[in-house]
Amino acid sequence: MAVTAMGEVVSDAVDVPAFIDRQPVGAFQLRVLLVCAAVLFIDGFDTQAIGYVAPAVAQEWKLARASLGPVFSAGLLGLMIGALIFGPMADRIGRRRIILASTLVFGVGTFLTVFAPDANWLIALRLLTGLGLGGAMPNAVALTSEFSPHRRRATLVMIMFAGFSIGAALGGLLAAALIPAFGWRSVFLVGGLVPLMLLPFLFKALPESIRFLAMVGARDHEVGNLLKRIAPNTSFAGEVKFVVQEPKLAGLPVAHLFAEGRGRVTLLLWIVFFMSLLDLYLLSNWLPTVLNDLGVSVSAAAAIGAMLQVGGVVGTFTLGHFIDRFSFRALSLTYFVAAGAVTAIGLVSHSIVLVTIAIFASGFCIVGGQIASNALTATFYPTAIRSTGVGWALGIGRIGSIVGPLVGGAMLAREMGAQPLFAAAAVPALVAAVAAFMLARRI
């Protein structure tokens, strides 16, 4: 039985999700959030670093702008593969192991990028780095979600995921400072050493998913210890059982994304992720280069381009409450506003002040909307396929993130002006808005 500090009998079998839902958000849950946010902070830095150093790489190696498209897309291909493989794997062996292994992989990949002698090596190393980056992200989302009470889940996941946007924004600001003094390789030196130095801390501080442990069974002692850290005034007798009132799903995890009426929702979520990440990576990878072409210095272009992620951080903290309350309706409105903000970038590109505001607003909506999509997806799928659901949504989205830079490179190769370029970039945001509206009518 479970017994409170006052000696009251709670239950002979503890429903883990229901128990967590009854608790306030405490210090332990916030520590889990911050540890996962630290992983995504480095993830964001290493993911976006290539976009910020691209103009300097092109200058050093005498590359045409279109030649950078494969470099951008290689890392994103790795992200896609990592998300598709390591999401389902984590549902089998646990979130913690995958997060630790992924951090090691993207740390080593980023560090080795310092020594890349040419574009072909850079492509290969970005692919390796992407595998780790793609594996860490869905599992950090799932882990944070599974320690959070339902009423605050979207908000807490979004706050955690803000670590990615902060890391990505800092990458731009740091690149602006490092590149003129030490060259573009110094950005990857920092991006590689930090996650490798973080690994011992993660090994000690990162818990396994409490719902995963309860679903696996035979690990009641670990589940009880974690629940006592969530609710310190509660104690559990030795014979208590911890359960999750969800079925154990046999067979291929991906197949369950389409079972029991989840198929249409899954497809709509994939459309949202595909369009959102297409837009996000088109903008984040090409904005510094486009701004540089318009006459802005490399360092200033990196700093202004970072406003996309700064806006995303502000959007994440602002939108969390509305996403928890209005779910996909709020998400749909966010993407509709995003379409207008992206269009505005091209219309006001003659003014540094106005284009900075438009980029900030675009990040507020697109990055904030993407992070909200992650949170809502983690909330929709049951424990047994949560990492699979988030991982495959991100994996399908990564196809969009690969397409985005390639499309941007093709449009720039045709020497399209800023206005038609950003007008075209607004279309995916509109499609995401429509798909989110359809989700709001189904969930």
Side-chain angles (χ1 to χ4, degrees), residues 351-383:
S351 167
I352 292 296
V353 173
L354 293 179
V355 80
T356 301
I357 294 172
I359 291 170
F360 177 92
S362 298
F364 183 101
C365 295
I366 294 176
V367 179
Q370 178 57 50
I371 294 174
S373 300
N374 296 336
L376 291 170
T377 301
T379 300
F380 172 72
Y381 290 110
T383 302

Side-chain angles (χ1 to χ4, degrees), residues 77-277:
L77 176 62
L79 278 159
M80 179 191 73
I81 296 171
L84 294 178
I85 293 175
F86 294 123
M89 188 179 295
D91 283 328
R92 299 288 191 185
I93 69 173
R95 326 297 190 213
R96 181 177 183 273
R97 292 178 183 177
I98 296 299
I99 292 174
L100 292 173
S102 297
T103 303
L104 175 62
V105 170
F106 74 70
V108 170
T110 304
F111 178 75
L112 292 177
T113 304
V114 174
F115 306 101
D118 55 38
N120 290 331
W121 272 100
L122 187 57
I123 289 170
L125 290 169
R126 289 307 295 172
L127 179 64
L128 173 65
T129 302
L131 290 173
L133 296 170
M137 187 180 295
N139 287 292
V141 172
L143 187 63
T144 304
S145 172
E146 289 164 352
F147 276 101
S148 303
H150 187 272
R151 66 187 180 278
R152 300 294 303 278
R153 189 168 299 154
T155 297
L156 293 175
V157 171
M158 290 180 69
I159 291 172
M160 182 278 298
F161 210 95
F164 182 93
S165 299
I166 295 170
L170 182 63
L173 300 176
L174 191 62
L178 288 177
I179 291 172
F182 304 104
W184 61 267
R185 296 175 192 272
S186 61
V187 177
F188 292 108
L189 180 64
V190 173
L193 289 178
V194 172
L196 296 178
M197 294 170 62
L198 185 66
L199 265 175
F201 168 75
L202 293 178
F203 189 84
K204 181 178 180 180
L206 193 68
E208 183 52 271
S209 160
I210 192 168
R211 295 195 190 193
F212 173 82
L213 293 173
M215 289 284 287
V216 168
R219 300 179 73 170
D220 285 337
H221 178 70
E222 294 174 66
V223 176
N225 285 340
L226 288 171
L227 286 180
K228 281 186 278 188
R229 297 183 73 180
I230 293 172
N233 293 329
T234 300
S235 60
F236 302 98
E239 68 275 13
V240 69
K241 296 295 182 183
F242 299 97
V243 298
V244 175
Q245 299 295 339
E246 298 174 3
K248 291 185 178 180
L249 303 177
L252 190 65
V254 177
H256 292 289
L257 301 181
F258 296 89
E260 301 177 11
R262 289 188 284 264
R264 291 185 179 180
V265 172
T266 292
L267 290 175
L268 286 170
L269 286 170
W270 287 2
I271 291 171
V272 170
F273 275 70
F274 180 92
M275 293 298 173
S276 178
L277 288 171

